[in-house]
Amino acid sequence: MDLISEERLSGMNPVEKVRFIIDEVKKDKVLVLEKGLTPDEEANLIEMTMTKIQPDGFSGIEMESYPAQSGNSIINKLFNKGGHRTRLTIIGPANQLKTLKKDRDLITTLLSSKE
Amino acid sequence: MSPIKLFKNNFRDFFKKLFKKKKNARIGIYGPPNAGKTTLANRILRDWTGDAMGPVSHIEHETRSARRREGVTIKTNGHSIGLDVIDTPGLATKIDFHNFMDYEMEEDEAKRRAKEATEGVIEAVKWLDDLDGIILVMDATQDPFTQVNVTVIGNMEARKLPLLIVSNKVDMPEASPNTIMNAFPQHPMVSISALEGNNIDTLYQEIAKTFG
Ligand SMILES: Nc1nc2c(ncn2[C@@H]2O[C@H](COP(=O)(O)OP(=O)(O)O)[C@@H](O)[C@H]2O)c(=O)[nH]1
Ligand SMILES: [Mg+2]
């Protein structure tokens, strides 16, 4: 399992980020992203995942993040570009990472080694 | 051009402008597989146009390509709103053809369906760029905090587009619309049964309010 710092991803453009994540996950790595992805990057990651799915091979990803905090206060609007702050995110191969429970403030996952 | 013809043309243009229809709002129906998106699309179309959108099934990913119906006019409380309704395959992060084989499908057929399902999800992602708003359908008997819900809501918030959450299947005893309301309190929500029609008039009022 790799813990990916904010800095590691911030140097990449959105396409590079999505490609990096897919490549790692296809190597059976589970990634924890300190900063998460923007909603647009999440959508692109889903799209790219779909193009990589193969019967008897890669069956997709499991991804869990917390809902973005969209504060409506003036302070929030001033400091986080439109009030959106991306959050801690875990991404892994669908056959190894299972979400057991997800709540507003707690994500419980089960990590298994490859069968 | 003769003065009379000129006058006629101007007259026609004037009326065209006066009665020019407001552009329809393009509304995409999103949500996890089996939440009841097509059931809802069919009900909206049946109530306001008389026809249906597409087939419904208990098997996931029955809708594998988006269907669009233009010019659906919904009238509530004297207000009227024109919609282009897009029933999408919805989003998923994983698709395993083995799941289709649980429904007594041959392996080839299951693989073909899985492939089409991946293409359907890609289409649903692409539609996100081309909408004026979203109806996000959730199954009220299921956990609402799924990643696809979080991703769809995040995309609408980032684009500053209106979103209406439909908590569906409230006809089932284990439905818990309050869980959905507590999960995403920042967006309007209506509890309905797309199948039985419970509370459907409230939904139409809320659609007019949210997208009008
Ligand atoms: N009990 C109940 N079942 C529903 C309701 N809406 C849809 N369903 C069922 O849920 C399954 C999936 O419906 P469908 O519209 O194909 O879901 P979609 O994948 O989101 O388009 C079908 O078996 C429907 O009959 C509802 O309001 N109540
Ligand atoms: Mg459908």
Side-chain angles (χ1 to χ4, degrees), chain A residues 3-91:
Chain A
L3 305 176
I4 314 285
S5 69
E6 182 179 352
E7 290 74 26
R8 181 69 195 263
L9 284 183
S10 63
M12 302 181 191
N13 69 38
V15 178
E16 289 167 343
K17 251 189 237 183
V18 167
R19 197 158 284 154
F20 165 78
I21 293 167
I22 291 270
D23 287 348
E24 293 300 299
V25 171
K26 283 192 74 184
K27 286 185 250 165
D28 286 325
K29 283 236 180 97
V30 173
L31 309 180
V32 177
L33 315 182
E34 180 184 18
K35 197 63 200 298
L37 297 171
T38 66
D40 203 38
E41 289 163 351
E42 281 180 6
N44 290 337
L45 178 61
I46 289 175
E47 187 176 345
M48 176 94 84
T49 300
M50 290 298 128
T51 67
K52 304 280 182 189
I53 289 179
Q54 292 289 336
D56 294 315
F58 182 58
S59 69
I61 62 172
E62 182 84 359
M63 163 166 69
E64 293 298 345
S65 63
Y66 293 108
Q69 287 179 328
S70 46
N72 280 328
S73 74
I74 292 185
I75 306 264
N76 258 317
K77 280 194 179 132
L78 276 177
F79 290 102
N80 334 309
K81 296 181 210 141
H84 245 272
R85 191 162 71 78
T86 56
R87 317 268 309 263
L88 183 77
T89 299
I90 182 163
I91 303 174

Side-chain angles (χ1 to χ4, degrees), chain B residues 31-40 42 55-63 87-89 137 139 168-172 192-197:
Chain B
N34 268 350
K37 298 178 290 298
T38 303
T39 307
L40 175 61
N42 282 342
V56 165
S57 170
H58 64 290
I59 303 176
E60 296 189 349
H61 301 285
E62 178 66 20
T63 313
D87 178 28
T88 77
V137 182
D139 181 336
N168 191 32
K169 308 198 184 184
V170 294
D171 57 290
M172 297 178 77
I192 65 161
S193 164
L195 192 65
E196 310 278 338

Side-chain angles (χ1 to χ4, degrees), chain B residues 28-102:
Chain B
I29 303 182
Y30 281 74
N34 268 350
K37 298 178 290 298
T38 303
T39 307
L40 175 61
N42 282 342
R43 182 167 284 277
I44 295 175
L45 258 56
R46 247 181 237 129
D47 284 353
W48 302 102
T49 72
D51 11 273
M53 191 68 119
V56 165
S57 170
H58 64 290
I59 303 176
E60 296 189 349
H61 301 285
E62 178 66 20
T63 313
R64 296 184 296 285
S65 79
R67 287 170 194 247
R68 180 188 349 186
R69 171 66 197 244
E70 298 188 338
V72 181
T73 306
I74 293 182
K75 296 193 176 80
T76 59
N77 296 342
H79 292 287
S80 129
I81 174 173
L83 303 180
D84 293 342
V85 179
I86 297 110
D87 178 28
T88 77
L91 300 189
T93 60
K94 54 187 171 192
I95 291 168
D96 186 344
F97 78 89
H98 292 100
N99 294 344
F100 292 112
M101 293 181 67
D102 297 342

Side-chain angles (χ1 to χ4, degrees), chain B:
Chain B
M1 208 183 278
S2 76
I4 291 190
K5 217 169 177 189
L6 195 67
F7 172 75
K8 260 185 163 169
N9 281 352
N10 281 342
F11 195 68
R12 197 189 57 208
D13 286 350
F14 172 75
F15 271 93
K16 247 194 193 159
K17 279 201 191 106
L18 192 66
F19 291 108
K20 198 169 164 231
K21 281 223 273 345
K22 218 179 125 209
K23 198 180 137 274
N24 291 334
R26 272 197 183 168
I27 304 303
I29 303 182
Y30 281 74
N34 268 350
K37 298 178 290 298
T38 303
T39 307
L40 175 61
N42 282 342
R43 182 167 284 277
I44 295 175
L45 258 56
R46 247 181 237 129
D47 284 353
W48 302 102
T49 72
D51 11 273
M53 191 68 119
V56 165
S57 170
H58 64 290
I59 303 176
E60 296 189 349
H61 301 285
E62 178 66 20
T63 313
R64 296 184 296 285
S65 79
R67 287 170 194 247
R68 180 188 349 186
R69 171 66 197 244
E70 298 188 338
V72 181
T73 306
I74 293 182
K75 296 193 176 80
T76 59
N77 296 342
H79 292 287
S80 129
I81 174 173
L83 303 180
D84 293 342
V85 179
I86 297 110
D87 178 28
T88 77
L91 300 189
T93 60
K94 54 187 171 192
I95 291 168
D96 186 344
F97 78 89
H98 292 100
N99 294 344
F100 292 112
M101 293 181 67
D102 297 342
Y103 299 101
E104 285 165 3
M105 232 177 256
E106 293 298 326
E107 183 165 331
D108 281 355
E109 165 73 359
K111 284 183 177 166
R112 192 176 57 79
R113 278 208 179 216
K115 176 81 185 142
E116 288 173 3
T118 62
E119 289 159 1
V121 173
I122 292 171
E123 212 190 339
V125 171
K126 291 204 190 302
W127 264 109
L128 285 173
D129 288 328
D130 234 346
L131 296 171
D132 301 311
I134 277 188
I135 296 176
L136 179 54
V137 182
M138 302 186 195
D139 181 336
T141 68
Q142 306 280 320
D143 179 12
F145 270 112
T146 66
Q147 187 59 39
V148 298
N149 289 342
V150 170
T151 298
V152 168
I153 291 176
N155 270 277
M156 289 299 104
E157 287 175 349
R159 289 168 165 80
K160 301 202 182 332
L161 289 174
L163 170 87
L164 176 60
I165 297 175
V166 165
S167 129
N168 191 32
K169 308 198 184 184
V170 294
D171 57 290
M172 297 178 77
E174 66 270 40
S176 171
N178 276 339
T179 312
I180 298 178
M181 183 119 72
N182 293 334
F184 307 107
Q186 71 275 38
H187 295 287
M189 184 197 90
V190 187
S191 305
I192 65 161
S193 164
L195 192 65
E196 310 278 338
N198 310 10
N199 217 16
I200 204 77
D201 290 330
T202 314
L203 173 69
Y204 293 138
Q205 284 165 22
E206 205 57 47
I207 286 178
K209 223 194 278 169
T210 309
F211 306 117

